[in-house]
Each structure stands twice: as C-alpha cells, then as structure tokens.
Amino acid sequence: IFQSYAMEEKIRLLHYWFVTLFVTTTRKCTHTNVFCPYISHAHNTQLIHANYQTHTYATRYTYTDVWDTLGTNLQNVTKDITKWRLDDVGQKQKFHGRNTQQRQVKHQEHEETLQDIHDSNGGEPHSTDLSPQNSQAFYTAHHLAMVDFYAPWCIWCQRLAPTWEKFAMEVKEKRIDLGVGKVDCVAHQQMCKDERVMAFPTLRWMEDGKAVMPDYRGDRTVDGLVEYAKRRVDDSKGGNNDNKSNNGDNRALANNEWDEDHHPGCQVSGHLMVNRVPGNLHVEAKSSHHEINSAMTNLTHRVNHLSFGPPRAPNYNFMALFGDAFPATYRHSNPMKGKFYPSAEYHTAFHHHMKIVSSHADYLASSRGSSSSSVVYQILEESQVVVYEVQEIPEIKFLWDMSPMSVSLTKEGRRWYEYMTNLLAIIGGTYTTLGLINATLLKLFKPKRL
C-alpha cells in the first residue's frame, strides 16, 4: 500500500512531519518560563501619581494633605501639584496655577466693638438683616447690593462684622447708590443653599436680586470694600465690565461670561513622594480665611489616574511587557482609572482603601540597563461611602498599605546547544522512523511469488 503512493506524496508526508516537529521544538526552546516567587522587599520612599477631578469644589478651596504612620503630616501640598478650573461639563477651562498658595487677606482691627457701632445708629445695625420675608423688598429698593452671607459661629465672620457695619455706614455717608445687607446662614439655611454659599463669609455682589460673579476676595478692610463698591457701581452705570477691582482680585463680569464661582469644579494632577508605610492622601475643602459650609460639601469626583512607582512616559504600558506572567484580570497598576464616584447626599464621601504589592522583573531591567523600569506596583482597591456628622467637613481619602512582600519575576530559557541537539535529533529521528515504517509496510504487503 505504501509503495502505491507516488514519490511526491512520500516527500510531502516527510516534509509535514519534519516541519511539525521542527516548529514544536523551536517554540519550546525559545519560550521562557516566568516564575513568581514572593520575596521580602523594602523601599524608604515611594512616588504617587494622581489626577482627579472634584465637580463641586472651587479650585481655591481644594486642599491636598498627606499623612502616614511615621508622623508625616503635610498640609495643603502644592509642590509638583497643578490645578485646573473646570466648566459645567467637567472639561478643563482655565489654568489655576502650579505650586500655588492661597492669597493672604488683610483684616482690619477696630477699637470700637460691634455694639458701639450699633449704638452710633440708635442701637440698630447699619446693614440690613435679610430674611425670606424682606429680601425681595430689599432687592427691589436697591438695584445694586452687596450681601454678606455669614455664620455666627464663624471666627472670620466675627472678625468681619465690625468692618462690615463700618462699610455700610461709609456707603450711607458717601451716598453710594448701593444696598448693604447680610444673611445669617444658620437662621436662614435655605437662602444660603439657594445661593450655593460654600464658605463663610461670602461677600457677593447682587444686581436686581441676582448674583453677579465673582465673589469679593479682596482685603476685608473698610477702605478696600468702599473702593470695590465704587468701582462696581461705576462699572454698572457705565456698562464697563473690563476694569479690574481691588488688588486685581475681582473683575466685573457679564452674567454669561465663564467664572469659577459659576462652575466650582477643579482638576488636580501631580505627584507626591511618600514613605513606604501605611498612610493616606485626603482631599478636602479648606481655606486660610474662610470657614467651609459643611452643608454644601458635595464630594462627587472622578479619578483619572492613580498609580505608584517611578515616572514614565504617558503611553508607557509596563504590564504589557510581562507577557503571560500575570493573567489579564489581575493586572491592576491603575485600577481606578476613569471611575466616577458620585456623592448622592451631603455629609458623605468616598474612602478608597488600597493594598500595594510591588512586582519586579529583573530580566527586563537588564535588557534596558535600568532597575527603575523593572518595578510595577499593583493595587487592590476597595471603595466605600462614609457618612459624616453634620458639623464635620467630609473629605475624600485614598488610604494605602504597602505590602511587606513583593513579587519577583525571573525567566528560565534554554541554551543554544540544547536547541541544536534537539534539531539534529528531529532530523535523524524523522529519517529513521520513516525508514522503519516503509520497510515494515513493504514486508507486510509485498506480493508473494507463486
């Protein structure tokens, strides 16, 4: 039967057999096995790369703090931190700055007490106390107004109170066409919620009862407030919305122009050097001259990037170099990328708990000539919503715990002479095997002579 095949069929069969064995052996010899033994590993410090967005926090109120178990307590970290202001759809709108600090505000001290100032007006305040009952009448009587939204317990509001009364007195004496009012946000919480008052005190310019942004952020002195009021009144009457106000901090804007106070969102990006011990990075609203309104702290946020390790190119995918060392479902160097964390209720915030495990591939480092490129930090992350007390200011927390163990990846390959030995064995074995088969078939099926 075997002899009935044509010679080319024999050659083809031999060719298929040889190629199959050759490919199998070549692949086996060139393929490297990667082993993942756990080893102890320690670094003194580690680098965090972060990029996140808060959708309801103004840029000037967004603080980033770092704490760890070694006693590190860094307040308002600004080094290597960049901030962008966001528009109403979460897109970057205006660059806020890099390594920026809040501007210091000057407060005026007075010899007279607040009661003395009231006594000079027959025991009545010079500014109008606004409430839901009289606010409409006040705004109708005063086309232009400036209102102080305050809380009685706020220390900054208490320091401002005498200055605000003297400012109202100056406005009357100088016959400035301006109404001066104030709103107690503890007694009239809904009024302040309707105005989205996020910090105390908030000094807001009003036209026909509607807010005109931005809020006043200049010095809290009588002269500073009077100068600001004159300029805004003159701008309103002259229709000029391009003149700078007190110390360049405020600008009269048309209602349809973009401003941070209309869209209080912030994007923060940068990197931090931290100790390789359990710690946390927390984001909260703070100010060096305001008290934050806890009733308005909505911490809805999006994490664009959060990873540990040395800086690399933006499109550098280190995990792809590991091949099959890790299953795709377990490659978590940046598991929070692009995730959105909405806070459905006030006084709540997400806390993100992370377990950090370092992985090392020395064979990649030797090929690149650098040990830094051979380390990747995998993150096991779990997030939960935490409910705060009414008087507490919620904060976003990224809590990490560095594992004392790490994964070391090593590869095992074959020498070239092993490959050559296997190749020669294939050639010889193929020739010998086919010869034996051919001889056996010839002996079994050879026609017998009569």
Side-chain angles (χ1 to χ4, degrees):
I1 296 175
F2 192 74
Q3 281 185 325
S4 63
Y5 282 95
M7 181 59 67
E8 58 268 17
E9 294 296 333
K10 294 181 181 180
I11 296 175
R12 185 177 303 163
L13 179 60
L14 179 63
H15 173 74
Y16 286 161
W17 194 335
F18 175 76
V19 169
T20 301
L21 292 175
F22 174 78
V23 171
T24 303
T25 303
T26 301
R27 182 177 179 183
K28 184 176 180 180
C29 291
T30 58
H31 180 71
T32 57
N33 297 322
V34 180
F35 298 94
C36 305
Y38 281 90
I39 63 172
S40 60
H41 178 75
H43 281 310
N44 292 330
T45 58
Q46 191 50 259
L47 196 65
I48 301 178
H49 308 271
N51 185 316
Y52 54 87
Q53 297 175 343
T54 59
H55 292 269
T56 57
Y57 266 15
T59 307
R60 63 184 182 276
Y61 295 146
T62 303
Y63 271 47
T64 301
D65 302 336
V66 176
W67 177 92
D68 64 35
T69 55
L70 289 182
T72 302
N73 190 4
L74 303 178
Q75 302 288 329
N76 190 24
V77 178
T78 58
K79 184 180 180 181
D80 300 319
I81 298 295
T82 300
K83 293 182 180 181
W84 285 82
R85 297 171 182 172
L86 304 180
D87 60 15
D88 54 349
V89 294
Q91 299 298 318
K92 290 192 295 187
Q93 181 71 25
K94 188 176 181 181
F95 182 65
H96 179 74
R98 183 181 179 88
N99 303 339
T100 56
Q101 295 283 351
Q102 284 193 354
R103 176 186 175 274
Q104 294 300 314
V105 174
K106 181 180 178 182
H107 293 78
Q108 185 173 350
E109 301 295 335
H110 303 275
E111 295 182 359
E112 307 96 320
T113 64
L114 183 61
Q115 187 59 48
D116 292 337
I117 299 174
H118 288 173
D119 291 341
S120 66
N121 192 37
E124 296 295 328
H126 294 273
S127 59
T128 304
D129 285 307
L130 299 180
S131 66
Q133 290 73 31
N134 67 350
S135 61
Q136 187 60 45
F138 174 81
Y139 292 129
T140 301
H142 302 283
H143 166 62
L144 303 176
M146 194 169 178
V147 179
D148 172 21
F149 294 89
Y150 72 97
W153 50 263
C154 169
I155 185 63
W156 304 109
C157 300
Q158 296 171 14
R159 294 184 65 180
L160 176 65
T163 301
W164 191 254
E165 289 301 309
K166 282 199 169 185
F167 164 61
M169 185 169 59
E170 287 286 322
V171 167
K172 292 179 181 178
E173 291 178 355
K174 295 184 177 181
R175 299 183 181 278
I176 301 175
D177 187 13
L178 178 70
V180 180
K182 56 186 178 182
V183 178
D184 183 345
C185 289
V186 174
H188 309 296
Q189 294 185 17
Q190 191 58 46
M191 290 182 66
C192 296
K193 285 185 178 181
D194 293 342
E195 290 293 336
R196 297 184 64 183
V197 175
M198 301 187 67
F200 305 124
T202 293
L203 308 181
R204 184 160 292 175
W205 188 266
M206 313 290 286
E207 292 186 7
D208 296 324
K210 295 182 179 180
V212 179
M213 301 299 180
D215 295 330
Y216 178 77
R217 294 194 284 271
D219 290 336
R220 295 170 187 170
T221 62
V222 176
D223 292 340
L225 289 166
V226 170
E227 180 185 355
Y228 172 80
K230 287 181 177 179
R231 291 192 180 190
R232 293 299 295 263
V233 170
D234 292 341
D235 291 344
S236 179
K237 291 181 178 179
N240 180 10
N241 290 324
D242 294 325
N243 293 327
K244 290 185 178 180
S245 60
N246 183 47
N247 295 326
D249 290 323
N250 297 279
R251 184 183 295 272
L253 299 174
N255 282 323
N256 60 352
E257 186 174 347
W258 187 91
D259 181 76
E260 182 188 14
D261 291 308
H262 284 292
H263 311 292
C266 175
Q267 177 171 313
V268 181
S269 62
H271 59 270
L272 302 168
M273 187 67 71
V274 297
N275 295 315
R276 198 177 184 275
V277 296
N280 68 76
L281 179 151
H282 47 276
V283 183
E284 59 181 327
K286 288 196 299 187
S287 174
S288 58
H289 42 264
H290 290 86
E291 292 286 353
I292 302 301
N293 183 5
S294 61
M296 294 295 291
T297 50
N298 185 305
L299 290 176
T300 296
H301 62 282
R302 181 187 302 276
V303 179
N304 297 322
H305 182 93
L306 184 68
S307 64
F308 290 72
R312 300 186 177 97
N315 297 325
Y316 183 76
N317 186 5
F318 179 72
M319 290 302 294
L321 300 177
F322 282 94
D324 298 330
F326 289 98
T329 54
Y330 294 98
R331 299 175 188 174
H332 297 304
S333 60
N334 185 17
M336 302 173 66
K337 180 180 179 180
K339 289 187 178 180
F340 184 67
Y341 300 93
S343 295
E345 300 177 357
Y346 290 112
H347 307 295
T348 63
F350 273 92
H351 287 190
H352 309 284
H353 301 265
M354 298 175 288
K355 189 71 173 181
I356 314 300
V357 180
S358 60
S359 303
H360 306 259
D362 296 335
Y363 60 91
L364 293 178
S366 60
S367 64
R368 292 174 173 268
S370 171
S371 61
S372 62
S373 63
S374 67
V375 183
V376 67
Y377 289 85
Q378 297 192 82
I379 302 174
L380 302 177
E381 178 265 339
E382 184 69 30
S383 300
Q384 64 178 6
V385 177
V386 177
V387 180
Y388 285 76
E389 298 293 336
V390 175
Q391 68 275 11
E392 294 180 325
I393 305 297
E395 55 188 8
I396 306 168
K397 282 190 177 182
F398 299 91
L399 303 100
W400 64 82
D401 182 13
M402 298 286 185
S403 174
M405 306 297 289
S406 65
V407 178
S408 177
L409 303 179
T410 59
K411 69 175 183 179
E412 183 182 74
R414 293 193 177 187
R415 302 292 183 179
W416 66 270
Y417 50 80
E418 294 181 359
Y419 172 70
M420 292 300 299
T421 302
N422 290 334
L423 184 61
L424 293 175
I426 290 174
I427 296 174
T430 302
Y431 179 80
T432 302
T433 302
L434 290 179
L436 291 174
I437 294 175
N438 188 39
T440 301
L441 293 176
L442 285 174
K443 186 174 182 180
L444 292 176
F445 297 102
K446 183 177 180 180
K448 295 182 179 180
R449 294 180 181 180
L450 298 175

